[in-house]
């Protein structure tokens, strides 16, 4: 049960693992960021006034997403490269000859991956969630000026009977919600009746007070301007603030608050609960990678099966990611309970990895 009989050996292996993981991550992010920027640069520069500064802004918002998404892949590839190198140089044979078991050989990598998982969780909460929210807002305004306020929702649509209301931006919460650049489509069963456009709308308790109103009547083709107009007495503020809640754009605490508000409003929260649990299980997937890639460490390199073992390790790792995405999709549509959707793949592949390791090496 002494998983670290040699402190020097543990530090040596952990250092190899971390360096190779970071190298793979840097290479993946660099290549994928370049490809992504090639695809999006045309849309960014299409907005008048955008230039090189906006391209760098996009990179700063997109890079954290790529790092968070491909960090587990990098841990998997870093594990396989590290263990295959140790195997190729007969270092694993030396460790086993010195009395180390397979679990003792993997222990430094697993502890290092725990540190990676913790840093990944902190990184997701402090950088990835805000940058995702900001990038989503920017994309919805077609890469125009990014709203300066925090907690901004953009391009929000609400249905009120036959009528449709679109707000370009929504800021604030509760009864302090402010709508800007509002368009109201008053419709009947036969089609559009009139069109209302306003600069700003605030909730009064009995409706929404629009300012800077322009009203266009479809039947007569006439346009009328008004300074103020009270509309939407049946529309509540939470219909604007609770719409389009994205688990990826919120921190774990903010998402917990949003789920509570949605439940009080009687809205479905199944997909958000699955996303909440996945904020914990997602970073922890890094801990699985040394276990799933461990098959590359063992077996004689001179047998010619080192490459095959590396491929098997990669297959196990990628099978986990497929299962994880599938379970999360099932949780989003309500086919799986949220807790099962987030944790079932982790537990399943932990058992698979342990079974393979014990039956082949222990």
């Amino acid at each position: 049960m002494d998983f670290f009989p040699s402190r020097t050996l543990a530090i040596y292996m952990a250092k190899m693992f971390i360096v190779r993981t970071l190298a793979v991550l840097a290479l993946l992010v660099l290549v994928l960021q370049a490809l992504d920027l090639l695809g999006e640069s045309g849309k960014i520069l299409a907005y008048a006034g955008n230039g090189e500064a906006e391209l760098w802004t996009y990179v700063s918002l997109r890079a954290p997403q790529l790092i968070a998404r491909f960090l587990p892949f990098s841990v998997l590839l870093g594990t396989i490269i590290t263990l295959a190198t140790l195997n190729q140089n007969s270092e694993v044979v030396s460790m086993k000859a010195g009395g180390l078991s397979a679990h003792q050989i993997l222990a430094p990598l697993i502890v290092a991956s725990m540190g990676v998982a913790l840093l990944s969780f902190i990184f997701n909460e402090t950088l990835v969630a805000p940058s995702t929210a900001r990038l989503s807002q920017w994309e919805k305004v077609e890469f125009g000026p990014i709203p300066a306020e925090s907690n901004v929702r953009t391009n929000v649509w609400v249905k009120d009977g036959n009528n449709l209301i679109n707000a370009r931006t929504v800021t604030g919460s509760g009864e302090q919600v402010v709508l800007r650049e509002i368009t109201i489509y008053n419709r009947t069963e036969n089609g559009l009746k009139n069109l209302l456009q306003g600069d700003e709308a605030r909730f009064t308790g009995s409706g929404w007070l629009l300012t800077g109103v322009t009203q266009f009547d479809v039947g007569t083709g006439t346009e009328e301007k008004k300074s103020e107009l009270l509309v939407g007495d049946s529309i509540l503020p939470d219909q604007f603030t609770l719409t389009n809640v994205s688990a990826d754009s919120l921190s774990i605490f903010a998402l917990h608050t949003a789920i509570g508000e949605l439940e009080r409003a009687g809205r479905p929260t199944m997909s958000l609960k699955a996303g909440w649990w996945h904020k914990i299980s997602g970073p922890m997937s890094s801990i699985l990678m040394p276990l799933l890639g461990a098959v590359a460490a063992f077996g004689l390199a001179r047998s010619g099966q080192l490459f095959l073992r590396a491929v098997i390790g990669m297959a196990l790792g990628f099978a986990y990611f497929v299962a994880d995405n599938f379970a999360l999709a099932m949780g989003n549509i309500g086919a799986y309970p949220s807790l099962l959707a987030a944790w079932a793949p982790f537990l399943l592949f932990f058992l698979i990895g342990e079974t393979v390791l014990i039956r082949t090496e222990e």
Side-chain angles (χ1 to χ4, degrees):
M1 297 301 293
D2 184 7
F3 287 104
F4 304 100
S6 172
R7 180 174 178 271
T8 302
L9 187 60
I11 294 174
Y12 168 70
M13 293 186 64
K15 183 179 178 180
M16 284 185 64
F17 168 69
I18 293 296
V19 169
R20 283 153 179 77
T21 297
L22 293 179
V24 171
L25 178 63
L27 180 62
L28 284 175
V29 172
L30 183 63
V31 172
L32 293 171
Q33 181 66 81
L35 294 174
D36 182 67
L37 187 60
L38 284 173
E40 296 294 325
S41 59
K43 299 177 184 178
I44 298 171
L45 298 176
Y47 190 90
N50 283 356
E52 183 181 349
E54 283 69 27
L55 293 177
W56 283 112
T57 299
Y58 177 81
V59 170
S60 68
L61 296 175
R62 183 64 172 146
Q65 294 182 348
L66 295 175
I67 293 172
R69 179 171 298 177
F70 290 97
L71 180 58
F73 289 95
S74 302
V75 174
L76 173 64
L77 295 177
T79 298
I80 292 174
I81 294 171
T82 300
L83 296 179
T85 302
L86 293 173
N87 191 354
Q88 183 70 37
N89 296 333
S90 301
E91 292 173 273
V92 173
V93 174
S94 300
M95 295 178 202
K96 296 187 76 173
L100 271 66
S101 68
H103 283 86
Q104 286 175 318
I105 294 172
L106 293 179
L109 275 64
I110 293 175
V111 172
S113 66
M114 289 179 180
V116 172
L118 179 60
L119 292 176
S120 175
F121 176 80
I122 296 173
F123 180 76
N124 290 347
E125 295 301 296
T126 57
L127 286 179
V128 178
S131 65
T132 300
R134 203 72 170 160
L135 183 57
S136 177
Q137 294 166 11
W138 199 22
E139 288 175 340
K140 288 180 179 178
V141 296
E142 298 178 350
F143 299 104
I146 306 176
E149 299 92 339
S150 61
N151 194 26
V152 177
R153 298 163 183 84
T154 55
N155 195 30
V156 177
W157 288 85
V158 170
K159 186 176 181 182
D160 179 34
N162 289 326
N163 302 330
L164 290 175
I165 300 97
N166 173 249
R168 183 76 166 181
T169 61
V170 179
T171 59
S173 60
E175 295 190 356
Q176 305 302 316
V177 169
V178 178
L179 314 179
R180 292 187 176 89
E181 297 184 50
I182 310 101
T183 304
I184 302 176
Y185 302 86
N186 289 319
R187 305 185 303 174
T188 64
E189 295 181 356
N190 298 323
L192 185 64
K193 180 181 178 182
N194 60 57
L195 186 69
L196 285 173
Q197 291 181 315
D199 297 332
E200 187 177 279
R202 295 178 182 270
F203 187 65
T204 64
S206 58
W208 295 86
L209 185 63
L210 266 68
T211 57
V213 182
T214 301
Q215 182 174 356
F216 177 76
D217 191 291
V218 176
T220 61
T222 58
E223 185 178 275
E224 181 181 1
K225 294 185 179 295
K226 299 179 181 180
S227 59
E228 293 182 347
L229 183 65
L230 188 65
V231 298
D233 56 350
S234 61
I235 304 174
L236 299 176
D238 63 8
Q239 291 180 254
F240 292 96
T241 58
L242 297 182
T243 187
N244 298 331
V245 176
S246 172
D248 294 334
S249 301
L250 297 174
S251 68
I252 192 169
F253 300 108
L255 181 57
H256 180 75
T257 301
I259 290 172
E261 292 176 352
L262 286 167
E263 287 180 336
R264 287 191 292 273
R267 307 282 187 87
T269 59
M270 182 73 71
S271 63
L272 294 179
K273 286 182 177 179
W276 189 90
W277 281 112
H278 197 262
K279 284 181 175 292
I280 302 173
S281 65
M284 287 187 66
S285 64
S286 297
I287 302 174
L288 274 182
M289 297 304 110
L291 190 61
L292 297 180
V295 67
F298 305 105
L300 293 176
R302 288 175 294 177
S303 67
Q305 295 183 349
L306 180 57
F307 177 75
L308 178 60
R309 284 176 169 270
V311 170
I312 293 173
M314 292 180 63
L316 285 173
F318 283 107
Y320 165 76
F321 294 119
V322 172
D324 184 53
N325 289 329
F326 175 79
L328 190 60
M330 292 296 101
N332 289 338
I333 65 175
Y336 287 178
S338 55
L339 188 63
L340 182 67
W343 289 103
F346 181 89
L347 295 176
L348 174 62
F349 278 83
F350 173 78
L351 294 175
I352 291 175
E354 278 292 332
T355 299
V356 171
L357 188 62
I358 291 173
R359 291 185 64 86
T360 58
E361 301 300 329
E362 300 284 28

